[in-house]
């Protein structure tokens, strides 16, 4: 690859940009109180044990040391009927939207991509499952957010302990983000993510945590005897591999075992009560929710959320979106290299394909290589991909007949991922690394390119950028550079600790089994082949110790975010996913080794012998949002709510019908109303009101129509 050069003007502008960044970081550091800002789980009232987590077949709670200032007010569990075969099942859903204006969107890390309104509300969907006697239980929560932050999980665990005592703990609670790139940022504690969020928003953090807690409380209250059924099937036409060059680095013999370079299989867990009445479902499928691209400024749940919306509207007839008893979660899986933009990457200035090793175009480089599709625009694409997932899930749900039975067992450990010794074979070992991001991280992907002149597949450093980095952040050590090879280290995050650590050292590894179903909670984004190797290894470990024919489900973006996990072979070519594999080339092997330990403990009934591991920190003082709060004031002589331009008395519309009988309206005259309103940022607590769930209705694929919802009203 030819060496990139910069003009004098480009060099000067880049220098100015970096100097401004350095000054900003220095000023932001003044906002921190660096003493007394870390507390561990003991300080937070979280369970703190050095011994067992929880074992199958016992209701012995973990010991805990709550804060004296926050007494535990344990809420008793509902009275459970125990004489049946199956599980107690509770489902719940709650709004967790947070700010819809003046906050950065989380996912693309694009400066200036701030929220400017609401397209769809965001929800937390919780599922509580318990054995008939209630002794062993679990919580799985799928949340319409980019990913789960460690701070969020620790706070949820703290509040669960305060409300329920030892009923819900770190070992039996999984929090998973859908990975929408159109949700609000600002809920992280590690510096890289705080910078990407342009500050920490306590308002959004509190709203998200409150929504998660509310969904769990509803599910807990609604527990009733029921049955679980599992089904699997392929989803076609919804995804492509966005790094096929990386995928091809995996051994040909391994690739030959699979018909596609993406995982097309969807797993659906169906939930009904003992009368057969429908309760909910969880679907796991590997796809990036990036149908809404980085030009979007409206809060929304993207394609996964639209699939949930369709399924819940189908089952909750007569209810507004976000209401009704049936809860449908479309959860993330090994989506690391999977894109929903099925027309693939093309040069936007020429229309030619740019599906090459570096994802670059002859003119414009990586900034003009963008993946599109399958719709006319991002709204249409979101609807198409969401409906495709919904339709397959609906078929799998309807035909699900394999009942899930057996004990419920949970295992969890905290692990220092910066220092895991990995056994490569009988004679050789390797280690994971302190976190670092490579050059290709700054290039972005075909779903959202970076803002500077970086390209994917960069395996050599650039003296210009190295010099800038050294001046601002200091030089990376030889140890971290050697450990991450062939990744050229752009930011040595594992060696940066001011004002707080830039990346997590301590991460969660967790498995919960329901009979023959194993739900693995992955703290990041597995690529396709990483997920395949992982599932195969964990399944084999279960089988070795007597648990045959296990279905291993990968639940992504769980508990703490650690970017990507590629295979060792994919890591060598350093595209975006590899450059974002922060613990080095042996990260996947380390996770496989760690989860095999959990699988063995479950299979051999030795979960009680697992150490809890080192506790992660909880930082109190974080960067305040860079976008200031501005007091709302109506114009002189006006009050909030005054209508400045009322609607017309009449509008012309044209009704038509689609094949399945839905009434829709041809797009005709547009209703416009102007009124005196406040900044939505100051109304983040408006949950529970009948606010239009979709301010911009989803457009139909086959007609120039707008679907007419019976709930199309706004309550200001």
């Amino acid at each position: 690859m030819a060496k990139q050069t910069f003009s004098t003007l480009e060099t000067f502008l880049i220098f100015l940009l970096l100097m401004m960044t350095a000054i900003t970081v220095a000023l932001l550091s003044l906002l921190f109180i660096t003493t007394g800002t870390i507390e561990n789980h003991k300080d937070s009232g979280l369970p703190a044990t050095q011994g067992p987590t929880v074992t199958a077949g016992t209701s012995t709670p973990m010991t805990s040391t709550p804060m004296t200032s926050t007494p535990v007010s344990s809420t008793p569990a509902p009275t459970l009927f125990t004489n049946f075969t199956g599980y107690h099942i509770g489902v719940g859903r709650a709004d967790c939207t947070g700010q819809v204006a003046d906050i950065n969107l989380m996912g693309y890390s694009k400066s200036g991509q701030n929220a400017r309104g609401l397209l769809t509300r965001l929800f937390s969907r919780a599922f509580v499952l318990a054995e008939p006697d209630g002794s062993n239980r679990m919580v799985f929560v799928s949340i319409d957010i980019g990913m789960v932050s460690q701070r969020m999980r620790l706070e949820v665990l703290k509040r669960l302990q305060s409300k329920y005592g030892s009923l819900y703990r770190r070992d039996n609670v999984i929090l998973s983000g859908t990975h929408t790139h159109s949700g609000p940022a600002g809920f992280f504690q590690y510096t890289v993510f705080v910078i990407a969020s342009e500050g920490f928003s306590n308002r959004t953090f509190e709203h998200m945590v409150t929504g998660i807690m509310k969904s769990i409380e509803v599910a807990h209250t609604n527990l009733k005897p029921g049955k679980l059924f599992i089904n699997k099937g392929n989803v076609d036409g919804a995804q492509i591999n966005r790094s096929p060059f990386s995928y091809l680095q995996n051994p040909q013999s391994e690739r030959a075992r699979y018909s596609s370079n993406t995982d097309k299989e969807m797993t659906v867990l169906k939930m009904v009560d003992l009368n057969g009445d429908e309760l909910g479902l969880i679907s796991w499928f590997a796809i990036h929710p990036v149908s809404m691209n980085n030009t979007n400024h409206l809060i929304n749940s993207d394609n996964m959320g639209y699939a949930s919306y369709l399924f819940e509207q189908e089952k909750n007839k007569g209810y507004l979106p976000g209401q009704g008893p049936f809860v449908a979660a479309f959860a993330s899986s090994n989506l690391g290299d999977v894109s929903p933009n099925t027309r693939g990457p093309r040069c936007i200035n020429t229309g030619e394909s740019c599906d090459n090793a570096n994802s670059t175009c002859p003119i414009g480089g990586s900034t003009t290589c963008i993946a599109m599709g399958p719709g006319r625009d991002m709204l249409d694409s979101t609807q198409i991909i969401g409906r495709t997932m919904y339709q397959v899930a609906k078929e799998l749900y309807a035909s699900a007949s394999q009942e899930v039975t057996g004990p419920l067992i949970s295992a969890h450990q905290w692990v220092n991922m910066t220092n895991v010794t990995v056994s490569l074979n009988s004679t050789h070992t390797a280690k994971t690394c302190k976190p670092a991001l490579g050059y290709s991280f700054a290039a972005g992907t075909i779903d959202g390119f970076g803002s500077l002149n970086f390209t994917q597949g960069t395996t050599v450093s650039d003296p210009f950028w190295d010099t800038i980095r050294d001046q601002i952040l200091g030089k990376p050590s030889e140890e971290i550079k050697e450990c991450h090879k062939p990744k050229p280290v752009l930011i040595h995050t594992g060696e940066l600790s001011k004002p707080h650590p830039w990346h997590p050292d301590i991460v969660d590894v967790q498995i919960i089994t329901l009979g023959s179903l194993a739900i693995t909670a992955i703290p990041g984004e597995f690529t396709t082949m990483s997920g395949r190797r992982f599932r195969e290894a964990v399944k084999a470990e279960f089988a070795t110790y007597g648990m045959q024919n296990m279905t291993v489900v990968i639940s992504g973006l769980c508990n703490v975010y650690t970017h990507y996990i590629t295979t060792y072979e994919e890591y060598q070519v350093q595209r975006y996913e590899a450059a974002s594999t922060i613990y080095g080339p042996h990260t996947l092997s380390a996770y496989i080794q760690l989860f095999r330990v959990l699988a063995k403990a479950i299979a051999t009934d030795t979960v009680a012998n697992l150490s809890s591991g080192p506790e992660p920190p909880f930082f109190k003082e974080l960067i305040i949002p860079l976008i200031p709060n501005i007091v709302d004031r109506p114009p002189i002589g006006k009050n909030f709510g005054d209508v400045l331009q009322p609607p017309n008395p009449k509008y012309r519309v044209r009704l038509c019908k689609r094949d399945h009988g839905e009434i829709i309206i041809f797009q005709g005259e547009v209703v416009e109303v102007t009124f005196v309103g406040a900044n939505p940022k100051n109304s983040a607590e408006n949950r529970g009101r009948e606010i239009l769930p979709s301010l911009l209705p989803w457009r139909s694929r086959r007609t120039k129509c707008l679907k007419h919802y019976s709930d199309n009203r706004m309550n200001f």
Side-chain angles (χ1 to χ4, degrees), residues 50-53 153 170-172 410-417 506-511 521 523 559-560 591 593-599 601 606-616:
Q50 295 302 319
T53 51
R153 173 171 164 83
R170 60 181 172 82
D171 65 291
N172 67 0
S410 57
H412 170 279
Q413 285 185 308
W414 286 306
V415 178
N416 186 339
M417 276 298 294
I506 310 302
V507 305
D508 301 70
V509 292
Q510 182 181 18
I511 300 178
N559 300 335
V560 56
Y591 277 124
Q593 182 173 290
L594 292 166
F595 276 86
R596 287 178 63 185
V597 170
L598 299 184
T606 57
V607 174
N609 298 333
L610 293 172
S611 66
S612 60
E615 299 178 4

Side-chain angles (χ1 to χ4, degrees), residues 347-509:
C347 301
I348 58 175
N349 47 9
T350 66
E352 297 177 356
S353 173
C354 51
D355 191 7
N356 53 58
N358 305 111
S359 297
T360 57
C361 296
I363 302 174
S366 61
T367 62
T368 56
C369 181
I370 301 175
M372 299 287 189
R376 300 184 303 271
D377 54 34
M378 59 183 173
L379 290 169
D380 194 32
S381 294
T382 301
Q383 182 186 33
I384 293 169
I385 298 299
R387 185 173 291 277
T388 299
M389 290 188 288
Y390 154 72
Q391 289 173 337
V392 174
K394 182 179 178 181
E395 294 168 3
L396 294 175
Y397 179 89
S399 61
S401 60
Q402 179 184 343
E403 187 174 358
V404 177
T405 60
L408 190 161
I409 311 171
S410 57
H412 170 279
Q413 285 185 308
W414 286 306
V415 178
N416 186 339
M417 276 298 294
T418 71
N419 190 31
V420 178
T421 300
V422 179
S423 297
L424 301 179
N425 51 47
S426 59
T427 59
H428 291 78
T429 62
K431 281 195 171 185
T432 54
C433 312
K434 293 180 180 179
L437 293 165
Y439 269 67
S440 296
F441 164 78
T445 73
I446 60 173
D447 293 323
F449 57 85
S451 57
L452 296 175
N453 195 20
F454 290 89
T455 60
Q456 295 196 68
T458 300
T459 55
V460 294
S461 60
D462 187 309
F464 173 80
W465 290 113
D466 283 355
T467 300
I468 296 296
R469 175 204 59 213
D470 295 348
Q471 292 297 316
I472 298 174
L473 302 175
K475 294 183 179 181
S477 69
E478 290 301 318
E479 175 190 359
I480 200 169
K481 290 194 292 185
E482 184 66 27
C483 188
H484 278 272
K485 283 184 177 179
K487 175 195 293 180
V489 173
L490 179 63
I491 307 176
H492 47 302
T493 55
E495 297 179 332
L496 303 175
S497 59
K498 298 296 183 181
H500 291 308
W502 283 44
H503 267 143
D505 290 346
I506 310 302
V507 305
D508 301 70
V509 292

